Amino acid sequence: MILELDCGNSFIKWRVLGVGARQTLAEGFVDSNPALLEGLAKVPGLELRFCRLVSVRTEEETVALVSLLTDAYDIDVACAKPAREMSGVRNGYESFERLGLDRWLALLGGYHLASGACLVLDFGTAVTADFVAGDGEHLGGFICPGMPLMRNQLRTHTRKIRYGDLEAERAQESLAPGRTTVEAVERGCSLMLRGFVLTQLELARNYWGDDFSVFLTGGDAALVRAVVPEARVVPDLVFVGLAMACPLS
């Protein structure tokens, strides 16, 4: 069994793959290292032989997690590293090591699945867009606040904006002008995300006409799905790239 981890700013996404790394046996989201061990302990017949991970956390946090896993399961842990070029894709950042590893792996995965030009849109704590040309040249991308950041900023700096997650979920069922504060905030933020997506599509068409693929990934991808119906929703796109960066052999 193989353990894969995507260690983001807010959560750790994990999954356990079976023999040949073709079948997902278990998966989940956790907010801490102890919660990860608790989740893994519930996997029936867990026998890990390898772990690969990508982390955008501090080096100290990543080292602590690797140590925890090696002590608990006596396995080798491979960590994805920055690269100037990999699997036919050339990192477009002036300082390639500064490109977030989750973005790098997602665009690797997108290019691999598309076999050509692609636009990769990731909707997490932050929203990112990355453009990869047909020859594998990463043209760069954009970063803007995601739903959690926009929502929390309004809650933090506007005293009267107070509501829970259930109210937020209900408010997102429509995009009609809000008649309550929660509706106005949630729908306004959703429309901002949609506007961001439309500008990325316009830029991609300026580059490649209609000859490109669009990938949506991240927890809030469903909020913009209607704007780009031709897109492929790939929740585990980072893991596609992780398998390329940290192969079994």
Side-chain angles (χ1 to χ4, degrees), residues 118-157:
C118 61
L119 167 62
V120 178
L121 299 166
D122 190 341
F123 298 87
T125 302
V127 173
T128 62
D130 282 286
F131 298 78
V132 186
D135 63 357
E137 186 70 29
H138 173 224
L139 305 180
F142 299 96
I143 304 172
C144 73
M147 282 293 289
L149 289 177
M150 288 192 286
R151 180 187 296 126
N152 290 339
Q153 282 298 301
L154 285 169
R155 286 174 170 174
T156 299
H157 297 289

Side-chain angles (χ1 to χ4, degrees), residues 20-115:
R22 297 182 181 277
Q23 180 184 9
T24 300
L25 303 178
E27 59 187 344
F29 282 91
V30 293
D31 58 4
S32 67
N33 293 351
L36 173 62
L37 293 185
E38 291 177 11
L40 292 173
K42 297 176 182 178
V43 178
L46 183 67
E47 294 183 4
L48 296 178
R49 64 182 182 87
F50 182 68
C51 172
R52 54 192 174 203
L53 67 82
V54 55
S55 175
V56 298
R57 301 184 171 193
T58 66
E59 182 176 356
E60 291 76 15
E61 290 174 314
T62 303
V63 168
L65 176 56
V66 170
S67 178
L68 187 69
L69 291 169
T70 54
D71 290 344
Y73 297 103
D74 190 26
I75 54 174
D76 291 329
V77 180
C79 300
K81 302 295 184 183
R84 171 61 72 188
E85 184 171 352
M86 182 178 293
S87 300
V89 179
R90 294 178 296 282
N91 192 316
Y93 260 32
E94 294 178 359
S95 299
F96 72 89
E97 66 277 1
R98 299 298 299 272
L99 176 65
L101 279 171
D102 50 350
R103 286 176 63 193
W104 173 237
L105 296 185
L107 67 89
L108 278 180
Y111 184 75
H112 171 73
L113 295 177
S115 297

Side-chain angles (χ1 to χ4, degrees), residues 11 14 34 79 107 113 116 129 143 147 151 182 189 203-204 212 215:
F11 296 97
W14 64 270
C79 300
L107 67 89
L113 295 177
I143 304 172
M147 282 293 289
R151 180 187 296 126
V182 61
C189 291
L203 182 54
F212 66 97
F215 295 94

Side-chain angles (χ1 to χ4, degrees), residues 179-196:
R179 297 174 66 87
T180 65
T181 298
V182 61
E183 290 177 352
V185 170
E186 292 296 317
R187 295 173 188 178
C189 291
S190 292
L191 288 172
M192 289 188 71
L193 288 189
R194 290 182 172 217
F196 177 80

